[in-house]
Amino acid sequence: VIPCAILTIGSEVLDGRVTDTNSQDIALFLEEFGGQVISKISCDDDIEAIVAALRFVTPNARLVIVSGGLGPTSDDLTREALSSYLGDPLVRLPEVLEELARRYTARGREFLEINKKQADIPSSTLILPNCAGTAPGFVSHRPELSIFCLPGVPSELRVMLQESVAPHLLQLGIQKASQYTFRVFGLPESVVAARVSQLLDNHPLKLSYRSHFPEVQVKITQLTPGADLDDSLLSKIRTVIGPEYVFSQGVSAPSLEQVIGNLLKEQQLTLCVAESCTGGLISKTLTDEPGASSYFLGGFITYNNELKEKLLGVRKETLEKFGAVSAEVAIEMACGAQSYSHSSLAMSVTGIAGPDGGSPGKPVGTFFVGLSTAYESMSYEFSFASSRGRIRRFSTYKTLDLLRRRLLGLTVPE
Ligand code: ATP
Ligand code: MG
């Protein structure tokens, strides 16, 4: 395991104006190489603060990745700080200066005196080209310690990690670790973790769980460099989790909406949805996937009863007798969506997202999912007591997972 540290620089990161997504991107990148982030610091655009942060992280880290403060303005001080930390004067590189001048001119911007400082790097470091922006980065390699300085602009940082940092890591003999992800829905993280860890106790693998509500992601990283993950172990992991709960798996495991899209395409089926409590979230999720129009016909958002009647043909008597949040209404919503759109399948959901509107018989978090084809229709009742946002996300996943199970011929759990 390679101990790594992340240093993000910028007052805007400290005061909360900007969410520090760079450290997240850097951490995920380092994980791909089997790196383990042992510390992560954010500090102000201030030479002393940056030097102090470097002194704090470097005794234990093999790799340090710094982001931010490489711009041309007076508050961009990462260069000066590295020069001070390394005890190494800044030098101006003529070829970088030329390249900068060329880029500024190409963009129709004047190349000012202050911009020239972007061609300065500590003399013992190597330049890291930035093909996504103007400010190049630089790297200091010393025995047992490499420090990469990258720009703060997130889009530039991401490109440079892959295009400029990765080749240096390979040169240092740090290879991409084999990684594999299982994406799970319908089991709590603690249950998944208990099942998987019993199996992996004696393997040289790093196991990490990410709870991206409401799914749980299990990521396996091979710690032996260059070695692949063993197929029979991967299939054992799937079995121990519970195969029907693993909606996708792989080196880059697809999302639930991608899985559904693929199944619908393979089976040449189309889908329509009728949403109440999710307010369009199911349609939004399905259409996050490019090319969704080939199987997703569209959706109805019928939040109020009159619209459920007018658009979906839900009967007034059904609404009065059972209430809008009921198995009967869920079925009629799905039937209405199916017969209006002539889709192969229609899904519906109606529920109480709260915080108000619950009753003893139907507490907040109660929801019904309807499924209808031209030949049959059915509904399922679930309950998930939580906050409004989580109930909506959960019921969206539940509806999509129910569809997935239907398409795969699996049973539907409680
Ligand atoms: P520039 O040449 O644009 O000045 P820079 O290397 O000096 O680049 P910064 O000035 O630190 O970078 O930040 C540039 C932009 O990137 C700002 O809009 C800032 O909000 C954003 N940014 C900086 N650090 C982070 C971070 N850790 N996470 C997300 N965004 C960030
Ligand atoms: Mg800047």
Side-chain angles (χ1 to χ4, degrees), residues 244 263 267 401-412:
E244 72 276 21
L263 287 169
Q267 301 181 21
D401 191 58
L402 222 111
L403 174 61
R404 177 188 73 94
R405 285 172 179 267
R406 159 90 188 195
L407 295 169
L408 290 170
L410 299 169
T411 55
V412 175

Side-chain angles (χ1 to χ4, degrees), residues 30-85:
L30 288 168
E31 195 184 40
E32 287 177 36
F33 285 85
Q36 171 125 23
V37 178
I38 53 166
S39 57
K40 192 165 103 175
I41 298 188
S42 294
C43 75
D44 212 349
D45 299 277
D46 176 272
I47 297 180
E48 274 169 36
I50 298 170
V51 171
L54 285 168
R55 292 217 170 104
F56 179 79
V57 301
T58 47
N60 301 311
R62 168 83 185 80
L63 292 177
V64 180
I65 299 194
V66 180
S67 92
L70 292 184
T73 56
S74 58
D75 62 351
D76 291 313
L77 295 167
T78 302
R79 271 183 207 83
E80 290 78 357
L82 263 289
S83 158
S84 159
Y85 170 81

Side-chain angles (χ1 to χ4, degrees), residues 117-137:
K117 93 177 215 188
Q118 286 181 290
D120 295 348
I121 60 170
S123 66
S124 66
T125 64
L126 300 170
I127 199 89
L128 296 172
N130 177 355
C131 32
T134 51

